[in-house]
């Protein structure tokens, strides 16, 4: 640019000086949306949503909704944070979410690509039980399967005893052996999931082992003849 300065005195004398001025312009940093996304700490009612940082970001706008619904919930995250812990979710539900960057200028007008995640079903204990094939020294414990279970923890003992016998199984039944005959027993089971499993066992189940069938004693033989005898 050519810039001129003119000075005029009170007696109408004047002088003008001109020079060329160069203006240096530094363009603002580009403001892009995140391109990498993560879902961590995924639980039945919460999820940690995160993304890669963007240069020049002041804030990030995050919106989340259930797949198939029309309304979003909106959240604002201040930089340099690049995550949002989303709570109050519904277990066993599909969700979608998006992120956009807010910069000083030239912020993206739209959100980045849509992302998906599914909350797991809650980890609960079984609620249906049966004790089958009860013998003098064994019995089989049965329960209903639970979604998301990694395995089940079973414990049993005679009623009134202080210590339990423990067993871990992937199945929904367990056969206990080495039991005492004519004895009342109790058993319990709990579910073990990847996370947030029940802290306690399901209610105790009761059964009694059968009375054992022992061989007779005191045998004797009478009325012995050449071709017959009576045995008692």
């Amino acid at each position: 640019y050519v810039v001129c300065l003119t000075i005029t005195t009170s007696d109408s004398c004047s002088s003008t000086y001109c020079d060329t001025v160069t203006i240096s312009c530094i363009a603002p940093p580009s403001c892009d949306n995140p391109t990498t996304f993560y879902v961590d700490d995924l639980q039945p009612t919460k999820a940690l949503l995160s993304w890669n940082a963007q240069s020049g970001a002041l804030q990030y706008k995050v919106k989340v909704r259930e797949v198939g619904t029309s309304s979003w919930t909106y959240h604002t995250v201040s930089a340099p944070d690049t995550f949002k812990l989303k709570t109050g979710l519904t277990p066993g539900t599909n969700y979608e979410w998006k992120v956009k960057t807010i910069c000083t200028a030239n912020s993206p007008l739209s959100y980045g690509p849509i992302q998906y995640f599914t909350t797991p079903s809650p980890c609960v204990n079984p609620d249906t039980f049966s004790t089958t094939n009860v013998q003098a020294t064994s019995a089989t414990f049965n329960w209903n399967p639970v979604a998301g279970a990694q395995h089940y923890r079973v414990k049993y003992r005679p009623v009134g005893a202080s210590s339990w016998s423990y067993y871990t199984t992937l199945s929904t039944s367990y056969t206990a052996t080495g039991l005492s005959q004519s004895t009342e027993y109790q058993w319990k089971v709990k579910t073990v999931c990847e996370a947030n499993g029940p802290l306690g066992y399901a209610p105790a189940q009761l059964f009694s082992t059968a009375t054992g069938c022992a061989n007779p004693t005191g045998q004797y033989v009478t009325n012995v003849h050449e071709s017959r005898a009576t045995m008692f």
Side-chain angles (χ1 to χ4, degrees):
Y1 295 87
V2 177
V3 179
C4 296
L5 173 64
T6 299
I7 300 176
T8 302
T9 64
S10 58
D11 54 359
S12 300
C13 295
S14 65
S15 179
T16 299
Y17 174 77
C18 296
D19 199 357
T20 300
V21 176
T22 300
I23 298 177
S24 299
C25 180
I26 300 176
S30 61
C31 188
D32 298 320
N33 279 328
T35 56
T36 307
F37 306 90
Y38 314 90
V39 179
D40 300 306
D41 193 24
L42 188 57
Q43 299 191 25
T45 60
K46 67 179 182 178
L48 181 63
L49 313 178
S50 56
W51 52 90
N52 60 308
Q54 293 300 302
S55 176
L58 296 178
Q59 296 175 333
Y60 299 95
K61 295 289 186 179
V62 184
K63 62 179 183 179
V64 187
R65 70 178 178 185
E66 290 185 25
V67 172
T69 60
S70 58
S71 59
W72 297 88
T73 56
Y74 293 85
H75 307 277
T76 299
V77 176
S78 298
D81 289 348
T82 58
F83 61 88
K84 169 62 184 176
L85 179 61
K86 179 62 179 176
T87 59
L89 303 177
T90 303
T93 303
N94 297 322
Y95 283 89
E96 56 188 3
W97 60 290
K98 295 182 177 183
V99 181
K100 75 173 178 179
T101 309
I102 304 298
C103 299
T104 324
N106 70 308
S107 294
L109 298 178
S110 60
Y111 283 79
I114 195 167
Q115 307 297 313
Y116 297 94
F117 68 90
T118 301
T119 53
S121 298
C123 187
V124 297
N125 277 330
D127 56 12
T128 304
F129 313 93
S130 65
T131 306
T132 59
N133 196 28
V134 179
Q135 306 293 324
T137 59
S138 64
T140 300
F141 314 144
N142 311 279
W143 55 91
N144 61 293
V146 174
Q150 288 188 320
H151 57 265
Y152 302 94
R153 187 76 165 156
V154 184
K155 65 179 183 180
Y156 60 93
R157 68 179 178 183
V159 173
S162 58
S163 60
W164 296 85
S165 296
Y166 291 88
Y167 189 79
T168 299
T169 177
L170 300 175
S171 177
T172 55
S173 66
Y174 171 67
T175 299
T177 58
L179 306 179
S180 299
Q181 65 180 12
S182 303
T183 303
E184 187 178 19
Y185 278 85
Q186 60 181 174
W187 65 275
K188 296 182 178 183
V189 62
K190 74 173 179 179
T191 309
V192 179
C193 300
E194 184 175 0
N196 70 297
L199 297 178
Y201 283 77
Q205 308 299 309
L206 300 175
F207 71 96
S208 294
T209 52
T211 301
C213 184
N215 287 326
T217 59
Q219 300 96 324
Y220 62 96
V221 180
T222 62
N223 197 24
V224 179
H225 297 275
E226 291 87 348
S227 59
R228 70 178 185 271
T230 302
M231 293 171 284
F232 296 89

